[in-house]
Amino acid sequence: MNTSVTHGTVLVAGAGGVIGRHAAAEYARQPGWRVRGVSRRPPLDAAWEHLPVDLADRDAARTGLSKAGDTTHLVFAAYSEQGSLSAQIAPNLALLDHTLDALDAAGAPLRHVTLYQGGKAYGAHLGHFKTPAREDDPRLLGPNFYYDQEDRLRQVAEERGFAFTILRPEGVVGYAVGNPMNLLMVIGVYAAVCRELGLPLRFPGSHAAYDALYQVTDAELLARATVWAGGSAAAAGQVFNATNGDQFRWRHVWPSFARHFGMPLAEPQPLSLSEHMADKEEVWQRLVERHGLRPTPWRDLVGWGFGDFLFHAGFDNISSTVKIRQAGFGDCYDSERRFLELFERLASERILPPAG
């Protein structure tokens, strides 16, 4: 990976989530960096300093981040889930405002901010969109909090003299304790419960989604892209799609999942995971006790609605990664193999039961 990372102090807002957790860990592996992470929950075995700051509260953010007055790099992965697109704007814009203003009040010598967006920037939440999506595609009719955050970040960066980079992953694959918006856990827990009940592994979405082209972003790859962006002149002021660099159809990878978990494969059955997994907590608890798995409250284990959305999106979801490669970041993964590697890792860490 071609990078010119400079040393400094990084603050990761939203360090308890999948993206933030991996970004903080990646920076902590780099020599010469001091790393702080902001999250509501204390981290487990984190190699960085934790700040329990409520970024939604302006005064609390200012008080809590007064300890981060040496911050040179901000990685902003904080997010507030809301019930509608319009309701997402104010709270998510406030999270960014409060963080930037608190660091400014603390006199932080901020040099770079990394902000994350996603497929909603192209309308993936609305239905069919132009593919492969490119960073210079025009915006869509809002509301869309990505646009509001980006506009604010550009304005503040110009006023205060720091650089920024915006990264757009899709379907982030990784693990964070108690963070349910996690495709890896959707598949892993669903498979484990089906196997425990003696059922075959069925794709729980639409036939159109089973056959559509899809892409994912490995959380570790995204973390490396984040470190690269924070130290590369070619990334300053730019927006980049950041995915594994390949595409796949669920139809072609689902048989690999079935083989990995030691389960028979059956035809897709469209269903709502939110409804059909709601009463499966007792089944999961049996697996936790039998295999000595890490205890996590059922409500915090998996975001079934997240899986429902992805598995019923019956259209191609593809982004071009040419721009980020030409700028100097060329990391990639074979997504099918990476899924299997991560399932194995989660089993070894006693987060998922061992494969069949």
Side-chain angles (χ1 to χ4, degrees):
M1 179 175 64
N2 181 19
T3 182
S4 55
V5 174
T6 56
H7 298 165
T9 300
V10 63
L11 177 73
V12 179
V18 176
I19 292 176
R21 174 180 181 267
H22 284 84
E26 184 63 27
Y27 264 109
R29 282 190 282 270
Q30 307 299 318
W33 282 93
R34 180 174 186 177
V35 183
R36 296 188 181 95
V38 177
S39 65
R40 288 173 294 179
R41 297 176 179 170
L44 295 176
D45 305 323
W48 37 269
E49 179 184 349
H50 178 242
L51 297 179
V53 180
D54 181 6
L55 298 177
D57 184 312
R58 183 181 297 274
D59 293 335
R62 182 166 293 212
T63 300
L65 296 186
S66 63
K67 305 172 184 177
D70 56 345
T71 299
T72 59
H73 289 64
L74 169 64
V75 174
F76 191 82
Y79 172 68
S80 175
E81 178 62 42
Q82 301 295 324
S84 69
L85 295 176
S86 58
Q88 289 177 342
I89 294 176
N92 282 289
L93 192 57
L95 290 174
L96 179 61
D97 279 340
H98 297 170
T99 304
L100 291 172
D101 291 346
L103 290 176
D104 188 56
L110 197 60
R111 300 200 300 261
H112 188 274
V113 175
T114 301
L115 178 69
Y116 302 99
Q117 296 180 347
K120 285 182 181 179
Y122 301 119
H125 58 306
L126 303 175
H128 288 77
F129 63 99
K130 174 185 142 321
T131 57
R134 291 167 44 112
E135 295 87 346
D136 58 359
D137 288 344
R139 288 183 176 183
L140 303 171
L141 183 66
N144 191 320
F145 80 90
Y146 288 160
Y147 302 160
D148 297 85
Q149 283 189 330
E150 179 177 342
D151 291 344
R152 184 63 55 83
L153 180 60
R154 289 181 182 276
Q155 174 192 346
V156 177
E158 183 175 357
E159 292 173 352
R160 300 179 188 174
F162 59 80
F164 69 89
T165 304
I166 297 173
L167 298 177
R168 291 177 176 169
E170 172 60 38
V172 177
V173 177
Y175 176 75
V177 177
N179 186 277
M181 288 186 64
N182 189 330
L183 184 58
L184 197 65
M185 291 296 287
V186 169
I187 298 171
V189 174
Y190 168 71
V193 168
C194 287
R195 187 177 62 188
E196 177 69 8
L197 295 174
L199 303 174
L201 186 64
R202 298 179 182 272
F203 180 73
S206 68
H207 285 74
Y210 202 45
D211 286 320
L213 282 172
Y214 191 55
Q215 60 186 352
V216 294
T217 303
D218 186 275
E220 292 182 16
L221 181 147
L222 184 59
R224 294 196 295 273
T226 299
V227 174
W228 166 80
S232 171
Q238 299 297 315
V239 179
F240 295 110
N241 296 325
T243 71
N244 285 3
D246 66 352
Q247 300 87 42
F248 60 87
R249 303 182 198 277
W250 291 114
R251 176 177 293 280
H252 297 153
V253 300
W254 215 253
S256 294
F257 297 167
R259 288 192 296 271
H260 174 81
F261 292 116
M263 301 171 65
L265 180 71
E267 283 296 300
Q269 176 60 62
L271 54 80
S272 166
L273 288 171
S274 299
E275 293 182 7
H276 288 261
M277 299 301 290
D279 63 347
K280 302 301 188 295
E281 180 175 3
E282 186 175 320
V283 178
W284 178 253
Q285 287 305 317
R286 291 205 305 263
L287 293 169
V288 170
E289 294 170 8
R290 183 187 311 149
H291 299 287
L293 304 182
R294 181 180 299 180
T296 302
W298 181 249
R299 66 181 181 276
D300 297 331
L301 188 67
V302 180
W304 298 114
F306 182 59
D308 283 334
F309 173 77
L310 293 180
F311 293 153
H312 288 83
F315 48 86
D316 292 350
N317 186 327
I318 302 298
S319 302
S320 170
T321 56
V322 170
K323 182 180 177 182
I324 196 170
R325 294 178 188 181
Q326 290 179 334
F329 183 81
D331 284 18
C332 60
Y333 278 122
D334 179 306
S335 294
E336 180 178 345
R337 293 180 182 176
R338 188 60 174 162
F339 266 113
L340 302 181
E341 290 173 0
L342 292 173
F343 288 142
E344 281 290 340
R345 183 184 300 179
L346 292 185
S348 69
E349 295 177 0
R350 297 184 180 276
I351 295 166
L352 290 177

